[in-house]
């Protein structure tokens, strides 16, 4: 799978760079020039207020207002650049991977859909964006998106002042695949934990590497063994090889849920070029490997169902 990834990325990188570089540079220049003009105007206004005796008492106020105006305009410019970056560069990665897939930078997966997976329902805040969706070769519909969840704890001091603390409980890709056929079985692939080896539902796979990284939990071990062939197991090991962060997947009858821990996703860099090859390769890898795994998993499930 690594060779296929490299070939796939090489095919689309130059196309994205050539089609997006000019547009991104233009937007950066427009934002920079606009801010410089506003800065010049505000500087002149502040100098005039400072040198006129009757108005110099307003100097501190106008300096504060000027700083706020520049900050708001800077945030607005960055927001505009961020949207253009995602709608051109990230969509280019998605379309380069599969032209029939779609990308929406402002849309995500709903909180209800995330809660249906029962991966973690203890969070207080939920946010999702950067939705990729379409139909797999198997005919099954899928959607993935970045998801961030937070727990909020509140403490009150002796003076009655309340402090709010946010703790991030998950950040990464979450995905849903709705299968056309029903496996009539439940299988959970989760990161390896030594105490889990005593579970009656734990299935020991014929792969030492898989056992080092994952646990397979299911009440239907025969079906799980038929789905998780050595070929499919190799796909799961590829994702561990390329990202040490945890990958978790659930098969629930006619649904597949998965989540994959990552750092911040699909954002333009604060410094440097957002078209840097290694930078974009990380984003493409984060999208490529999970989709490849769930594609193969869906195909194996459909094959097992067809054999019954």
């Amino acid at each position: 799978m690594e060779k296929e990834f490299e070939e796939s990325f090489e095919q689309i990188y130059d196309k994205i760079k050539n089609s997006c570089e000019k547009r991104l540079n233009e937007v950066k220049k427009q934002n920079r020039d606009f801010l410089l003009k506003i800065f010049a105007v505000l500087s002149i206004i502040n100098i005039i207020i400072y040198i006129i005796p009757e108005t110099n008492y307003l100097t501190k106020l106008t300096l504060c207002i000027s700083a706020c105006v520049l900050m708001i305009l800077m945030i607005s410019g960055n927001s505009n650049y961020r949207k253009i970056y995602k709608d051109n560069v990230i969509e280019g990665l998605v379309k380069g991977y599969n032209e029939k897939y779609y990308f929406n930078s402002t849309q995500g997966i709903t909180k209800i859909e995330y809660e249906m997976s029962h991966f973690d329902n203890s969070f207080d805040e939920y946010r999702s964006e950067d939705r990729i969706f379409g139909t797999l070769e198997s005919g099954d519909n899928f959607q993935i998106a970045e998801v961030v969840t937070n727990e909020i704890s509140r403490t009150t001091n002796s003076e009655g002042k309340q402090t709010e603390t946010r703790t991030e409980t998950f950040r990464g890709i979450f995905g849903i695949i709705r299968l056309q056929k029903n496996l009539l079985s439940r299988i959970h692939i989760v990161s390896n934990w030594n105490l889990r080896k005593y579970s009656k539902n734990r299935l020991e796979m014929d792969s030492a590497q898989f056992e080092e990284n994952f646990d397979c939990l299911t009440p239907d071990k025969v079906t799980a063994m038929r789905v998780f062939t050595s070929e499919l197991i190799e796909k799961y090991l590829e994702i561990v090889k390329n990202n040490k962060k945890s990958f978790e997947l659930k098969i629930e009858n006619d649904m597949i849920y998965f989540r994959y821990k990552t750092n911040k996703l699909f954002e333009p860099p604060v410094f440097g070029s957002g078209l840097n090859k290694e930078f974009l390769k990380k984003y493409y890898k984060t999208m490529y490997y999970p989709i490849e795994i769930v594609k193969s998993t869906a195909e194996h499930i459909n094959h097992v169902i067809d054999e019954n």
Side-chain angles (χ1 to χ4, degrees), residues 223-237:
T223 300
M225 288 180 71
R226 291 174 65 197
V227 171
F228 284 86
T229 63
S230 58
E231 178 191 356
L232 183 57
I233 285 171
E234 283 300 314
K235 299 271 187 181
Y236 280 75
L237 294 179

Side-chain angles (χ1 to χ4, degrees), residues 40-92:
V41 171
L42 291 173
S43 296
I44 291 168
I45 293 171
N46 279 280
I47 290 169
I48 292 171
I49 289 173
Y50 179 74
I51 62 177
I52 298 175
E54 293 81 4
T55 59
N56 60 16
Y57 68 92
L58 294 173
T59 302
K60 288 184 179 179
L61 177 61
T62 54
L63 281 172
C64 289
I65 292 172
S66 298
C68 290
V69 168
L70 284 172
M71 186 66 70
I72 290 168
L73 291 175
M74 194 179 296
I75 292 170
S76 177
N78 289 340
S79 178
N80 179 50
Y81 177 79
R82 176 177 178 265
K83 185 174 189 318
I84 290 169
Y85 179 85
K86 289 191 175 192
D87 291 347
N88 288 268
V89 178
I90 305 304
E91 184 167 355

Side-chain angles (χ1 to χ4, degrees), residues 197-209:
K197 66 183 179 182
Y198 301 110
S199 170
K200 65 178 182 180
N201 287 333
R202 183 179 178 277
L203 171 63
E204 189 167 340
M205 296 291 193
D206 190 22
S207 168
Q209 275 186 288

Side-chain angles (χ1 to χ4, degrees), residues 36 45 115 132 159 168 225 240 263 270:
L36 285 172
I45 293 171
E115 288 175 329
I132 300 169
E159 297 175 355
E168 191 172 276
M225 288 180 71
V240 174
N263 295 320
V270 177

Side-chain angles (χ1 to χ4, degrees), residues 109-111 113-115 117-130 143-152 166-176 188-191 239 243-250 257-265 286 290:
I109 290 176
T110 67
K111 181 181 175 183
E113 288 172 311
Y114 182 74
E115 288 175 329
S117 69
H118 296 290
F119 279 131
D120 171 27
N121 290 350
S122 63
F123 56 87
D124 300 301
E125 283 184 341
Y126 176 87
R127 178 170 60 82
S128 181
E129 61 182 5
D130 296 332
Q143 57 175 328
I144 68 173
E146 181 185 26
V147 163
V148 180
T149 59
N150 294 306
E151 280 186 353
I152 300 175
R166 280 173 173 75
T167 304
E168 191 172 276
T169 54
F170 176 76
R171 176 185 291 275
I173 284 180
F174 170 70
I176 302 171
H188 189 183
I189 305 297
V190 65
S191 295
I239 205 166
N243 191 329
K244 300 298 181 186
K245 298 187 177 183
S246 64
F247 178 85
E248 188 175 7
L249 178 139
K250 285 184 180 181
Y257 304 99
F258 79 89
R259 65 177 185 172
Y260 182 40
K261 285 186 178 179
T262 66
N263 295 320
K264 209 167 187 180
L265 274 178
T286 302

